[in-house]
Amino acid sequence: MNRTVRRVPRGIGRRAVLEGAAAGLALVAAPRIARGARARVVVVGGGWGGLGAVRGLARKGATELTLVEPHPAFVSCPLSIHYIVGERPFAEFEHGYGAIERLGVRRVAEAAVAIDRDHREVVTASGRLGYDFLILSPGVEYAEEAIAGYAEARAALPVGFRPFEQHAVKALVDRFLAEGGTFLISVPKPPYRCPPAPYERACLIAERMARHGTKGKVVIADANPQPMPPPIARPILEAMRTVHGARIDYLPDHEAKAVDPAKGTLDCGVAEVPFTHANLVLPMRAPKLLRDAGLAERWAVVRLPEFRSQVDDRIWIVGDSAGTPLPKSGHVAFNAGLVVAEAIGRRLDGQPEPQAGPTALPAGICFAAVTSERAIMINVGADFVPGEGAKLRFEVDPAPTRESSEAALNWGRSMWESMLG
Ligand SMILES: Cc1cc2nc3c(=O)[nH]c(=O)nc-3n(C[C@H](O)[C@H](O)[C@H](O)COP(=O)(O)OP(=O)(O)OC[C@H]3O[C@@H](n4cnc5c(N)ncnc54)[C@H](O)[C@@H]3O)c2cc1C
């Protein structure tokens, strides 16, 4: 079965990404691994980025591969809005790790609690895992302190921008659809995971209100002057105005500062916004695990185009933890994992490192549904130019289409198959 990512309409192919990356990786010192010994590679995080690395490395026999992931199954954030609004079953978005275990990958069902870089060990509650190479893709952590009052009310205010949080957000949406009122969604300033996702959530909840006859409004308090990322602002604003106009109020330049759930208000500095139900999308950063190990400030400090840590040449960081100009998207994360697997494979094979030069970076693809049947597709191509950095190219549907809505589901299924099929 073909394990590579299949092309999606107007997507940017994996082959180009890998060939481009292969052309431009920087020179790094070869690791000291005894001849004939299998290199120990540990991957922390079994999400999009971690699974890209695992699938890429599992093809190479020269590694003893361990995945550290506490959850028993992968859950997709992309497309999960269709579960949250009650259109599709949760089972579509949840996939067990059986396929990678059958490839001989050892899975440690625990969280990494520390990285001991001096001894090259990942620490879990039950022990230590030695590594020759370490790949980190633990996703994001919420900066709860950015909104005063949030931490005390955390349980009542689920964010739903990490896997495993979708049930709580669905329960919140179900309550709103039954009771009516004001459903408030706040949007932070970028960088945050999947910038179009809050607007998509607003649109699909508004569509459900129409079907359920729910009275009230969805209000978006956006810290930004327009929907993010800027290339999608026009089609998103147009869809919110024309398709959902009566049900969505869009408040630009409203950055959430403090929440009072008892009073039902969000203080945005410029105004106090009332709500009956709230889904606050918090600012995000790399998890504490990386910051404590000296690998990250707000985001992990990596060197493009190879995603290697700037402070430790045995460590690569992919996915949303990495501080790069690339979009925080699952597609980018998975392909970055493949790029890292290729780089480690080359080092193990003793192949010379490619000369530095212009290099294709992992491409991004993202979908923003505006109804259950129409979506906007966003393709992001990127190149790394030595001395200049990453150059991004956006290609965005000028209006939502049925084709992009179908492409979204096909893309998701194809990616999940590539990861865990
Ligand atoms: C609503 C929504 C819609 C989205 N839509 C799209 C889309 O259309 N297209 C797209 O490309 N992207 C989309 N994304 C973005 C995508 O989900 C992320 O970019 C992607 O999940 C990033 O992958 P990751 O590997 O960095 O993190 P994750 O996929 O979150 O995986 C992190 C994994 O690490 C594990 N972990 C965390 N801490 C530890 C630890 N200490 N030890 C061990 N394991 C740990 C977690 O359990 C988790 O399994 C969307 C996101 C959201 C929220």
Side-chain angles (χ1 to χ4, degrees):
M1 195 180 295
N2 182 12
R3 301 291 180 202
T4 57
V5 181
R6 285 175 221 139
R7 277 187 78 88
V8 290
R10 282 177 284 146
I12 294 138
R14 177 182 156 264
R15 173 180 294 208
V17 171
L18 291 180
E19 283 176 356
L25 288 172
L27 279 169
V28 287
R32 283 191 296 277
I33 296 166
R35 195 172 276 278
R38 297 175 85 212
R40 297 161 306 161
V41 183
V42 175
V43 178
V44 173
W48 291 74
L51 287 171
V54 165
R55 291 310 298 232
L57 283 160
R59 293 189 206 125
K60 306 180 188 305
T63 51
E64 187 186 298
L65 191 51
T66 304
L67 173 65
V68 183
E69 164 62 56
H71 292 97
F74 161 87
V75 170
S76 177
C77 286
L79 299 164
S80 63
I81 183 62
H82 298 289
Y83 163 69
I84 288 171
V85 298
E87 269 170 28
R88 291 186 172 273
F90 186 70
E92 272 193 44
F93 308 101
E94 187 180 34
H95 301 269
Y97 287 112
I100 57 154
E101 286 168 351
R102 285 191 291 280
L103 290 174
V105 178
R106 175 182 171 213
R107 191 167 71 84
V108 173
E110 287 185 272
V113 295
I115 297 158
D116 180 346
R117 286 169 45 207
D118 291 339
H119 296 97
R120 290 197 210 119
E121 288 172 338
V122 172
V123 184
T124 69
S126 67
R128 288 174 166 258
L129 292 159
Y131 64 82
D132 297 305
F133 301 112
L134 176 61
I135 303 169
L136 300 167
S137 191
V140 293
E141 171 183 292
Y142 300 134
E144 294 190 345
E145 72 285 357
I147 301 182
Y150 179 85
E152 298 74 20
R154 184 188 301 126
L157 295 169
V159 181
F161 267 56
R162 290 184 302 206
F164 321 105
E165 296 174 0
Q166 285 96 344
H167 297 309
V169 176
K170 179 170 172 39
L172 181 71
V173 170
D174 286 348
R175 272 202 308 282
F176 169 67
L177 292 174
E179 296 164 2
T182 301
F183 192 98
L184 175 64
I185 297 178
S186 70
V187 186
K189 289 191 170 141
Y192 63 94
R193 168 171 277 188
C194 194
Y199 315 104
E200 169 183 81
R201 198 170 276 181
C203 287
L204 266 68
I205 294 171
E207 183 186 44
R208 283 279 141 175
M209 289 172 70
R211 291 194 195 163
H212 281 68
T214 306
K215 295 206 171 8
K217 287 256 177 197
V218 177
V219 174
I220 304 174
D222 196 336
N224 304 289
Q226 61 182 352
M228 292 288 117
I232 68 150
R234 205 190 53 72
I236 285 281
L237 285 171
E238 189 71 6
M240 291 197 303
R241 194 175 55 77
T242 56
V243 185
H244 305 294
R247 294 187 185 83
I248 299 182
D249 282 351
Y250 179 67
L251 307 175
D253 295 313
H254 278 58
E255 184 169 19
K257 310 266 188 219
V259 65
D260 184 338
K263 227 169 103 192
T265 54
L266 183 72
D267 180 1
C268 296
V270 291
E272 201 167 76
V273 184
F275 65 83
T276 54
H277 306 74
N279 179 205
L280 308 183
V281 180
L282 295 167
M284 299 172 198
R285 62 185 165 218
K288 187 169 179 294
L289 176 75
L290 273 59
R291 290 182 286 113
D292 285 354
L295 296 165
E297 291 164 9
R298 178 175 175 189
W299 303 107
V301 195
V302 297
R303 196 168 312 195
L304 288 177
E306 69 268 39
F307 296 90
R308 190 159 44 87
S309 164
Q310 286 193 14
V311 295
D312 191 322
D313 85 347
R314 298 279 180 148
I315 298 181
W316 285 259
I317 301 139
V318 295
D320 293 351
S321 299
T324 77
L326 296 169
K328 296 206 176 293
S329 99
H331 200 84
V332 168
F334 183 77
N335 282 307
L338 291 174
V339 167
V340 167
E342 288 294 312
I344 292 178
R346 254 195 320 274
R347 285 173 73 171
L348 293 174
D349 291 347
Q351 290 177 24
E353 294 296 338
Q355 297 298 308
T359 303
L361 292 167
I365 188 161
C366 196
F367 298 91
V370 300
T371 68
S372 53
E373 290 176 349
R374 288 179 191 271
I376 297 164
M377 177 155 57
I378 304 134
N379 274 293
V380 188
D383 296 306
F384 178 78
V385 181
E388 294 180 41
K391 309 263 180 217
L392 270 56
R393 301 177 306 279
F394 283 84
E395 192 188 322
V396 178
D397 284 339
T401 65
R402 282 180 194 279
E403 292 73 27
S404 288
S405 183
E406 281 162 23
L409 278 171
N410 290 336
W411 166 81
R413 289 178 186 134
S414 151
M415 293 299 291
W416 302 327
E417 172 72 16
S418 299
M419 288 188 262
L420 290 162

